Amino acid sequence: MIRHIVVVGSGVMGRGIAYVSAVGGFETTLIDVKEEQLKSAKNEISSIFEQGIDRGKITNSEKQEAEARLRYSTNLIEAVREADLVIEAVPEKLEIKKQVFETIDHHAPASCYFATNTSTMSPTEIASFTQRPEKVIAMHFFNPVHKMKLVEIVRGLETSDETADVIQKVAQQMGKETVVVNEFPGFVTSRISALVGNEAFYMLQEGVGTPEEIDKAIKLGLNYPMGPFELADLVGLDTRLNNLKYLYEKLGEKYRPAPLLEQYVKAGRLGRKTGKGVYDYTDKE
């Protein structure tokens, strides 16, 4: 039975996962190496709680109970010693994930399950960094986590049926719908999202339309809740580029990153987190 969840990485995705975990009734510890990042995460999570009350999504007593279940720490080793499930939400760089999984494998109880929030990378390869590949799986949450309904659960080569079942129940307790798929680069959703987002950059590069026009066309014409540029700025253009490079390496030419996207990243225009991406947020903060 899963009681205590440790979320590693307090960035955009990690803080969202910690929120839905605590609201779902799990004792939750959010981990980051930087104290200031944890303070930022705590402030944003508090804001999400308040927005939830304003919108009638959560009561004040539910908020207080969830906040009491949520802790913040820079000590990964100490936190995972009592964990039933560790969800990794660090940047999409294999060397960082390798370091995290080797550490948690060494210090977590033998009964503990491991999940990676990767949107493209191989849970089989990530599982190879541990001595318990049957207990490793991908839980692909979507941004913003507290609003998006789906968790895409991706089985690695050695993921057991029991692990898939446990993780599906955890996601459902967090209030999410689930799909369980087998590993292939990009899974289901990231392959489609990467194609749409990359094609939007090619269209912008070719002068087909402005970012506002392209986003509006996709939202109203295809019924997407968010335009591809709005989404890229929210996720981070560097994250989008890393995902595309991985898919290009694994799946070929159709995922070659648009030169304009690479140019934006080189310029430091990474999206909301830097104040400027496709759109400028400096006067909106």
Side-chain angles (χ1 to χ4, degrees), residues 3-188:
R3 294 186 179 87
H4 181 202
I5 295 177
V6 172
V7 181
V8 185
S10 69
V12 172
M13 297 305 295
R15 59 188 63 178
I17 296 167
Y19 172 84
V20 297
S21 174
V23 171
F26 299 103
E27 295 293 327
T28 305
T29 304
L30 181 59
I31 299 289
D32 204 285
V33 293
K34 297 180 179 178
E35 192 71 51
E36 61 268 28
Q37 183 79 349
L38 286 173
K39 289 179 181 177
S40 171
K42 188 174 184 178
N43 289 337
E44 184 172 340
I45 290 171
S46 295
S47 176
I48 296 172
F49 274 122
E50 294 302 327
Q51 292 169 21
I53 290 174
D54 292 342
R55 294 172 182 168
K57 301 290 185 183
I58 189 172
T59 66
N60 190 57
S61 62
E62 288 171 336
K63 166 186 174 287
Q64 291 175 349
E65 290 170 4
E67 285 183 322
R69 288 190 288 265
L70 186 53
R71 297 185 294 275
Y72 302 84
S73 176
T74 56
N75 194 328
L76 173 62
I77 292 172
E78 183 179 296
V80 299
R81 283 178 177 148
E82 298 177 355
D84 300 309
L85 167 63
V86 179
I87 302 175
E88 165 270 311
V90 301
E92 292 282 74
K93 295 183 178 178
L94 193 62
E95 63 271 18
I96 301 177
K97 293 186 186 292
K98 182 175 188 289
Q99 183 179 3
V100 169
F101 276 87
E102 286 178 345
T103 300
I104 63 178
D105 186 52
H106 185 69
H107 295 282
S111 59
C112 187
Y113 299 90
F114 297 160
T116 172
N117 180 52
T118 184
S119 56
T120 55
M121 300 176 77
S122 165
T124 299
E125 184 172 10
I126 290 169
S128 74
F129 305 143
T130 78
Q131 300 299 312
R132 59 184 94 187
E134 74 285 353
K135 287 184 173 289
V136 180
I137 200 164
M139 287 182 86
H140 179 204
F141 290 82
F142 296 82
N143 196 11
V145 177
H146 64 288
K147 292 182 179 179
M148 299 296 282
K149 296 178 180 178
L150 183 68
V151 173
E152 186 179 31
I153 297 170
V154 188
R155 300 176 59 135
L157 179 65
E158 297 183 66
T159 304
S160 70
D161 291 341
E162 182 217 4
T163 297
D165 183 59
V166 166
I167 298 305
Q168 192 169 19
K169 288 176 181 174
V170 167
Q172 289 166 353
Q173 189 172 328
M174 291 177 177
K176 303 301 182 184
E177 297 286 339
T178 61
V179 293
V180 181
V181 299
N182 293 316
E183 178 188 334
F184 203 79
F187 317 144
V188 175

